[in-house]
Each structure stands twice: as C-alpha cells, then as structure tokens.
Amino acid sequence: MRATERMTVTGSVQGVGFRPFVWRKAHALALAGQVRNRGDHVEVLATGTKAQRDSLMDALREGPPHAHVDSVTRTPDQRFFTGSFTIATSEAGALHSGIVPDLALCPACRADINTPGTRRWRYALTCCADCGPRFSIVTGFPYDRANTTMAPYTLCPACRAEYENPADRRFHAEPVACPACGPRLRYTGPATPGEDPLYSAARLLRSGGILAIKGTGGYHLACLATDTAAIATLRARKHRPTKPLAVMVADTAAASAFAAPSAAELHLLHDAAAPIVTVRTTAALPESLAPGLDRVGLMLAYTPLHALLLAQIGQPLVMTSGNRSGAPQVIEDAEALHDLAGIADGWLYHDRRIARRLDDSVCAIVAGHTMTLRRGRGLAPRRLPLPAGFETLPPVLAMGGDLKAAFCLTQNGQALLSHHLGDLQAQGVEETARQALADYRTLFGLTPALVAVDAHPDYISHRLGAALSQQMALPLHTVWHHHAHIAACMAEHGLGPDTAPVIGLALDGTGLGPDGTAWGCEALLCDYRTAYHAGRLARVPMPGADRAAREPWRMLLAHLDT
C-alpha cells in the first residue's frame, strides 16, 4: 500500500549535495514526493510502499560522502504525491545543525582543470557538490547561492544547465562557475604585459621571490621550499625567526622526496579537510623550514589555484599565513595589497570575497589517533558529539582562554567549537574574536542560557564573556583554568555529566588558582561541577611573568634552578 511519510534529516547536511543525493535515490526507488532545505534540516516527503520508504530511510542515514547525519526521523503525512520526485525551493532559517566545512579539490574537478579543451581547463575556481568553499563563503541561510559571496556572479547558460540538473554533480553547487561567468584570477607584481597570472606568479617564485596567494580562508605567503635564501628572506620580512613553516605539495608522490608519512598520516592528508599534517622528514629540505625538528607540517594542494600553481612550479612551496607577525591572517584583497607590502613581492588572487577568516587546520597522528592541534579551515564549524546526558543540560557559551583562543557553545548534546582565532593579546585578534562571536550568533542562532569564562579577571576572554553576559542578560559563571582542562579531557573520553570524580593531572603553563596564585602542574580530584586540589609540583618563580606561558623553556630553567 502506498502512503506518504515525512523524513527529517539533521546534521551537517547543507552544501554537500544532499538534495540531489535524495533525488537520485528516490528516482531509483520509484518514489514520488519532494525534498527541500528547511534552514536547520532537510525535509523529505516520500510517497511509496513501505519497502520503498524503508530503503530511502536506510540511504538517508548514510547520506552523501561529505555529509554528517546526526538523526533521521519519520512521521506519517496526510499528503499524497503522484508523478515524479522533485527538489523544492529552500526555506530560510538559522542553521542550528551546521553547514559543512570547506572541502578540498576533488579528483573529478582536478581532472577538469588539467584536461585541455574542457570549459574549466586551468580555471582556478573550479568546484562541484563534492568540493570547494562552503563555510568560508556563507553569508546567511539557507545555504543557497544568494546567501554566499558568489551572489554577484550570474551563471552563464552552460553553468546554469549544470546547476539546475539534479543528475549533474554541480547541481546546486553554490560556488559553481566557469571562466565565462565566475570570479577572475589576477596578479599584481612584476610581470610581462598580458601574461597569464599563473605564469607571472610562477616566474616570481622561481626567481626567489615571495608570493602572497589567496587561499580558501585567507592569504598565504609562499616561496620555494627548496630555496634557503628565499626562506631566510621570508623569515626576516615576517619577523618569524624560528617558528616552523608549512610545506605544500601537489600530491603525496611529490612529498616522498623529502618526507615519510605513515599510512595513517597519508589517509589524513587525503581527507576532504586537507589539514596540515606533521610528518617525519627524510632529507632534501632546508633545515631552516623547521629548525631543530625532525618533522615538517605538510599539506596537499586543496584548491584548484594551488594545484595549478604547483603544477607550473614542479617544486614544493612554503605556505604560511599571510599576515604580519602576530596579526590575524589577511582576507581582503585591498588589505593584502597594503598590509603585505614589504613582505610579498607579488600577489596572486581572485575577486571572490572571503566571508570569514579560517586558518589552515593542523593535525598529527599520536599513538595511532588523530589529534587536532589547530581547528580551522576544513574542520570548522563541524560539531563535536558530547557524552550521553549532556543533551538535557542548558546550553552554555564557553569563552576559552587567551592563547590559541576559540569559543564553544554546548547545545543539544553537541559542542559547536569555533575556528581558531589566535592569541587575543595580539594586534587585531580581539576584534576578530568579537566579529566571530557576532557571526556565529547570527548564522547558528546561538541562544545560551549562561556564559562561562576563565576565572582570571584580566583575561581578554573573561572580559568579552562578561560584556556578552551583561548584554544578553545571562548569568556569568567563572571556571578555574586547570579544572577546565581536566573537564575537557573527561568529555573527550566519553564521561557523562554525572560521572564519579576522577584524578586529573593538568600540566599547563599557567592559570589562576582559587588561592590567587598562578598554578602550573596541578593534580585535581574533580568531576564536572567541583574540583579539589590534591597536589602539585613544587612552586617556582616565573621568569618573565606572563612570558613564561608563551615561552615554556623559561619554566624548565626555573625548575632546573631549584
């Protein structure tokens, strides 16, 4: 007997081709009905036999490759559909479930840009439903082209046909474009008149120059990773004498000349998030890339622009954040031309605007498991599941610390952790944090019941949280620094909110303790609500005061001197 059910899908289901995925499955099952975005979820109305509807439910639980399905519910519906299955117009609404992060260049689009004679041969902004910018271009919801930074670009007839064809992999891929209708590649710097921007940029790099290149979430500064003099020039201009520099390669075959990634690291390098992955070096690269270390931060070309440039160069490139030392990564073109003058010799960019700053994510494989060292492009704003029991607790906005800052909202059993913001004391980062808070509140409908801050009253994050709690008329809760670290580990290991106390050892720089002193290595007996001090390493002076938190070697010397 044919009947209709409404199936509601929640999770990261926007911008991953979920609607065409449902359309194809429904057509294969001969179902009637429709699918649409409903702001914070995808709604499917399916008319067919129970066996047909059950099969569609199984498919929805899986979803397309880059979706993260949290739940699928089904309820009877009185409507009865006949004819074909269709894709209905999206509805507006805050995206409480979350959009997917930006996705690395997929194999099909890589083939497009490398195949002469195709419409997108050597087009640096090629993408489809399986790859390309997502979170970095969103300006509102639902996730449709009008609510992205692609809104100014009108689709040409050929792109329009792809965009409107549910059977095409570019169906409703919002950033879809081609050389005839999309953003254009530009180059500013020494060049031959009329020369292709990629050729000009490649020539600059080969000559030992420093190139500013526009990535997904901001600008990078690039130079040849094999050129010791160019690396020294970049370090001197950026005032970055020793901090490791990341290296980008076209593929893992190119990396094999100087690195030996494990099987797990290779898998992580090829992930759609395309993070920087720390891998062991073998030889061939200058020691100045990562002084004193036997590992280098490696990433694969994750945009068509990077892939085309690396193909032109044929060598690995240093790829580090495009900013002056301590300042946020540059995202605006005019800002890049101004702020990076004196560091970069040339600029390779395009006119698609970046909606929000997203530093590259950094990951490592530790004891066989992936450890996220910096959460940014490719990982944010993916939600993290919390242990069972948290879904019944009130939503909390937690402001974090001042170094490597991020904020987090816990709601409905999940944690929405912001992207990496930087060190709040650095120039411009506090304003970046304010903008990010406003951005997340608008996009995700953040409605916390209280605000949690570090107990240290002089932390910038404390002041930001206190101001926000007053503005929103919400209670303000202070949390001791080391207790917060242990509680985070408890959640990471699946301990519920009512778990028995644990013994936690927090070895973390400095943090204010309840006794008014700076704590360092502390043993606590605690659960999520309370913490009792059980012991510590011997107290020692902090050479340089707060500088000891940023330069841990100072504390090592202090302990050795006691």
Side-chain angles (χ1 to χ4, degrees), residues 464-488:
L464 286 173
L468 194 60
S469 73
Q470 188 172 24
Q471 174 191 335
M472 299 176 71
L474 296 173
L476 183 71
H477 287 244
T478 58
V479 181
W480 300 109
H481 193 89
H482 290 75
H483 184 198
H485 277 300
I486 296 172

Side-chain angles (χ1 to χ4, degrees), residues 254-281:
S256 63
F258 61 87
S262 66
E265 288 164 347
L266 284 171
H267 181 76
L268 189 53
L269 283 165
H270 285 286
D271 188 85
I276 297 171
V277 181
T278 60
V279 302
R280 191 171 298 281
T281 55

Side-chain angles (χ1 to χ4, degrees), residues 97-313:
S97 295
I99 190 170
V100 295
D102 302 282
L103 302 170
L105 179 66
C106 73
C109 285
R110 189 181 295 272
D112 286 344
I113 65 174
N114 290 326
T115 304
T118 63
R119 287 198 307 120
R120 293 183 176 84
W121 179 50
R122 293 177 59 78
Y123 182 54
L125 289 103
T126 297
C127 69
C128 70
D130 294 327
C131 69
R134 298 294 190 273
F135 187 48
S136 62
I137 63 170
V138 169
T139 57
F141 290 104
Y143 177 68
D144 284 327
R145 193 178 180 94
N147 293 321
T148 72
T149 58
M150 287 297 294
Y153 303 95
T154 302
L155 291 166
C156 67
C159 286
R160 171 67 64 183
E162 294 171 329
Y163 184 83
E164 293 179 347
N165 180 6
D168 194 285
R169 81 172 200 274
R170 291 191 167 93
F171 174 76
H172 276 263
E174 308 307 343
V176 68
C178 74
C181 63
R184 302 294 178 88
L185 194 61
R186 301 176 180 181
Y187 173 79
T188 297
T192 302
E195 187 175 39
D196 184 302
L198 278 165
Y199 295 157
S200 301
R203 190 154 45 81
L204 175 74
L205 289 167
R206 288 196 197 96
S207 69
I210 310 300
L211 178 71
I213 178 172
K214 192 173 186 178
T216 299
Y219 273 78
H220 289 107
L221 290 166
C223 70
L224 293 180
T226 53
D227 189 332
T228 303
I231 295 169
T233 299
L234 176 58
R235 286 193 177 281
R237 291 180 182 178
K238 200 179 175 186
H239 303 291
R240 185 176 176 174
T242 59
K243 194 173 180 180
L245 299 170
V247 175
M248 178 180 280
V249 292
D251 50 41
T252 50
S256 63
F258 61 87
S262 66
E265 288 164 347
L266 284 171
H267 181 76
L268 189 53
L269 283 165
H270 285 286
D271 188 85
I276 297 171
V277 181
T278 60
V279 302
R280 191 171 298 281
T281 55
T282 52
L285 287 181
E287 195 271 341
S288 57
L289 280 172
L293 301 177
D294 62 354
R295 287 182 171 267
V296 67
L298 181 68
M299 61 177 156
L300 302 185
Y302 59 82
T303 73
L305 179 55
H306 290 122
L308 290 167
L309 182 62
L310 280 161
Q312 194 72 37
I313 292 290

Side-chain angles (χ1 to χ4, degrees), residues 528-558:
Y528 286 109
R529 296 173 178 83
T530 59
Y532 301 95
H533 193 259
R536 61 159 55 94
L537 286 182
R539 294 185 184 275
V540 295
M542 290 176 59
D546 285 347
R547 289 187 65 181
R550 295 187 293 274
E551 301 172 10
W553 61 267
R554 293 172 176 269
M555 294 308 301
L556 174 62
L557 288 181

Side-chain angles (χ1 to χ4, degrees), residues 396-399 407-409 433-442 446-453 460-477:
V396 177
L397 176 61
M399 297 300 297
F407 56 84
C408 180
L409 180 85
R434 292 180 188 276
Q435 293 171 358
L437 276 165
D439 187 28
Y440 274 62
R441 287 178 62 190
T442 300
L446 298 188
T447 53
L450 60 93
V451 179
V453 295
I460 295 172
S461 58
H462 180 113
R463 298 203 304 269
L464 286 173
L468 194 60
S469 73
Q470 188 172 24
Q471 174 191 335
M472 299 176 71
L474 296 173
L476 183 71
H477 287 244

Side-chain angles (χ1 to χ4, degrees), residues 3-10 13 18-27 29 31-38 41-47 52-53 55-57 59-61 71-77 79 81 85-88:
T4 302
E5 284 186 291
R6 181 173 61 220
M7 302 173 186
T8 302
V9 187
T10 65
V13 293
F18 207 98
R19 289 172 298 165
F21 167 81
V22 175
W23 180 89
R24 288 190 291 270
K25 294 294 183 182
H27 272 260
L29 293 167
L31 286 160
Q34 66 180 36
V35 57
R36 74 168 71 193
N37 284 336
R38 298 293 297 265
H41 62 271
V42 168
E43 178 190 79
V44 181
L45 293 167
T47 300
Q52 290 171 318
R53 301 193 308 271
S55 294
L56 182 61
M57 273 293 295
L60 294 180
R61 291 189 182 100
S71 68
V72 184
T73 58
R74 59 196 296 185
T75 56
D77 195 275
R79 285 166 284 186
F81 293 86
F85 193 90
T86 62
I87 297 176

